[in-house]
């Protein structure tokens, strides 16, 4: 039986618990729950797709059965990354281009709205949750098969992207910038198609050359020019950035420049590879995509050798 004194001693605890419960409830709002549910669903969907890829690929092309163990894993991961690229690019285009969710014009006509960097919707949170799940699975694959599956550059890229997407979705801030960065995944289908065409022996086919040109154009527009516009937008909205949460602000000021440096590094490789492709100098064992993979046989050894001048004449 509680005495008045014991009742009084419990009051501070109940006040503390109530305050923290309220804080947790406000933190885990609808957007955070959307992140958790869509993130978990995304991991499950991409994992199932990764496991189903061997069966689907064997049924659709004979090339898959001729690949080595490492190349099969890489092939399967590219199926998931291509699907993610199409999905997130479409969602980002809808939210940024076709809807007025993050439009500056709505801030003028409807001044009661939050600044674009503080806006979020259930759709934008779901889109970020989709990418959170994908990056979680791909990071696990890169670590599991490190360093041949992507290397340190790809691991840094994925971890930085994952942290940015997760924090933006959880806090409900900077959804605009996060979706802009995710829209650069538009280049992924061309990177993956180049690798698949190479495995199928289509280097001399016209579609291989066309895809190389599309990869160059998409990378230039989505990962170079778009970033320059992005940095200009950051400068024009620097006062809004200063009002964001500290963690979000730090990621905005550090992650985009890091990704831009990686994009420029990979773009240089793409340009050199395209020049060799168009001039007929691309060797069989060269890979102009960001993810460098050695072509391996069943024993895990490189089985492609540069073609010598004598063999070419023969």
């Amino acid at each position: 039986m509680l005495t008045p004194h014991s009742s009084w001693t419990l009051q501070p605890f109940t006040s503390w618990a109530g305050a923290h419960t309220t804080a947790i409830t406000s933190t885990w709002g609808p957007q955070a729950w959307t992140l958790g549910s869509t993130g978990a669903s995304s991991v499950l969907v991409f994992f199932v797709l990764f496991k189903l890829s061997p069966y689907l690929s064997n049924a659709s092309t004979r090339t898959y059965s001729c690949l080595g163990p490492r190349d099969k894993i890489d092939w399967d991961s590219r199926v998931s990354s291509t699907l993610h690229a199409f999905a997130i690019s479409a969602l980002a285009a809808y939210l940024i281009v076709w809807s007025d969710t993050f439009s500056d014009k709505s801030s003028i006509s409807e001044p009661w709205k939050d600044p674009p960097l503080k806006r979020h919707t259930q759709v934008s949170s779901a889109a970020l949750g989709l990418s959170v799940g994908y990056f979680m699975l791909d990071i696990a694959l890169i670590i599991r098969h490190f360093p041949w599956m992507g290397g340190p550059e790809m691991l840094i890229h994925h971890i930085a992207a994952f942290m940015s997407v997760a924090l933006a979705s959880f806090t409900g801030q900077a959804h605009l910038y996060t979706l802009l960065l995710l829209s650069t995944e538009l280049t992924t289908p061309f990177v993956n198609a180049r690798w698949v065409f190479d495995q199928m022996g289509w280097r001399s086919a016209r579609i291989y050359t066309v895809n190389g040109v599309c990869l160059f154009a998409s990378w230039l527009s989505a990962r170079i020019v778009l970033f320059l516009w992005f940095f200009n937008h950051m400068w024009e909205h620097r006062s809004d950035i200063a009002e964001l949460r500290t963690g979000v602000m730090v990621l905005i000021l550090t992650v985009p420049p890091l990704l831009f440096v990686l994009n420029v590094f990979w773009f240089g490789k793409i340009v050199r590879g395209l020049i060799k492709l168009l001039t007929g100098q691309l060797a069989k064992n060269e890979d102009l995509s960001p993810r460098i993979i050695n072509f391996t046989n069943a024993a895990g050894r490189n089985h492609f050798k540069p073609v010598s001048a004598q063999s070419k004449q023969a």
Side-chain angles (χ1 to χ4, degrees):
M1 183 175 180
L2 293 175
T3 64
H5 176 73
S6 61
S7 177
W8 178 84
T9 57
L10 287 174
Q11 185 174 357
F13 172 78
T14 55
S15 300
W16 176 88
H20 281 68
T21 302
T22 303
I24 293 173
T25 303
S26 63
T27 301
W28 285 93
Q31 281 69 39
W33 287 114
T34 302
L35 167 65
S37 59
T38 56
S41 301
S42 176
V43 170
L44 178 61
V45 169
F46 286 121
F47 178 76
V48 171
L49 182 61
F50 178 78
K51 290 298 184 181
L52 289 178
S53 175
Y55 305 100
L56 299 175
S57 301
N58 268 322
S60 58
T61 176
R62 290 178 294 179
T63 302
Y64 185 84
S65 60
C66 299
L67 298 176
R70 289 185 175 182
D71 292 333
K72 286 183 178 180
I73 294 174
D74 193 46
W75 177 298
D76 298 335
S77 70
R78 290 176 187 269
V79 173
S80 299
S81 67
T82 300
L83 177 62
H84 168 260
F86 281 125
I88 195 60
S89 298
L91 288 170
Y94 165 74
L95 289 166
I96 297 173
V97 179
W98 284 289
S99 74
D100 61 349
T101 303
F102 305 107
S103 174
D104 284 326
K105 295 181 180 179
S106 62
S107 299
I108 300 175
S109 59
E110 300 172 316
W112 60 86
K113 279 189 173 182
D114 289 330
L117 295 183
K118 291 186 177 180
R119 297 179 197 166
H120 56 264
T121 65
Q122 290 291 82
V123 177
S124 66
S125 296
L128 299 188
L130 173 72
S131 291
V132 165
Y134 163 72
F135 283 124
M136 287 179 62
L137 182 61
D138 218 37
I139 288 173
L141 286 174
I142 293 175
I143 294 175
R144 172 67 178 82
H145 304 288
F146 192 84
W148 64 265
M149 191 173 180
E153 298 90 356
M154 188 65 67
L155 183 60
I156 292 172
H157 171 275
H158 275 39
I159 291 177
F162 169 77
M163 291 175 58
S164 301
V165 174
L167 186 60
S169 184
F170 183 77
T171 61
Q173 296 183 345
H175 280 208
L176 170 62
Y177 284 172
T178 309
L179 288 168
L180 278 171
L181 295 179
L182 288 173
S183 67
T184 61
E185 290 294 310
L186 178 67
T187 62
T188 299
F190 300 109
V191 173
N192 292 342
R194 194 222 64 81
W195 188 87
V196 171
F197 292 159
D198 181 72
Q199 298 300 309
M200 299 179 73
W202 290 2
R203 283 209 170 196
S204 59
R206 179 175 298 180
I207 190 173
Y208 187 90
T209 303
V210 171
N211 182 77
V213 175
C214 291
L215 172 59
F216 166 81
S218 63
W219 199 281
L220 176 63
S221 58
R223 293 185 181 262
I224 304 296
V225 176
L226 179 61
F227 266 77
L228 298 178
W229 178 89
F230 179 88
F231 293 141
N232 180 69
H233 191 278
M234 286 177 58
W235 175 254
E236 293 179 349
H237 293 77
R238 56 190 181 276
S239 59
D240 294 335
I241 294 176
E243 297 177 359
L244 300 176
R245 295 189 181 186
T246 303
V248 178
M249 182 174 61
V250 169
L251 286 178
I252 288 178
L253 296 177
T254 57
V255 172
L258 172 63
L259 296 181
F260 182 69
V261 170
L262 291 174
N263 289 339
V264 172
F265 168 73
W266 285 325
F267 186 63
K269 294 175 59 179
I270 291 173
V271 171
R272 291 192 296 271
L274 182 62
I275 293 174
K276 290 182 179 181
L277 175 64
L278 296 178
T279 58
Q281 301 175 6
L282 193 64
K284 178 65 181 178
N285 65 333
E286 288 188 80
D287 191 327
L288 58 88
S289 69
R291 180 170 287 180
I292 304 300
I293 300 297
N294 291 324
F295 303 103
T296 56
N297 56 21
R301 297 179 179 177
N302 193 307
H303 67 272
F304 282 118
K305 297 181 179 180
V307 181
S308 63
Q310 294 180 353
S311 61
K312 285 183 179 180
Q313 295 175 357

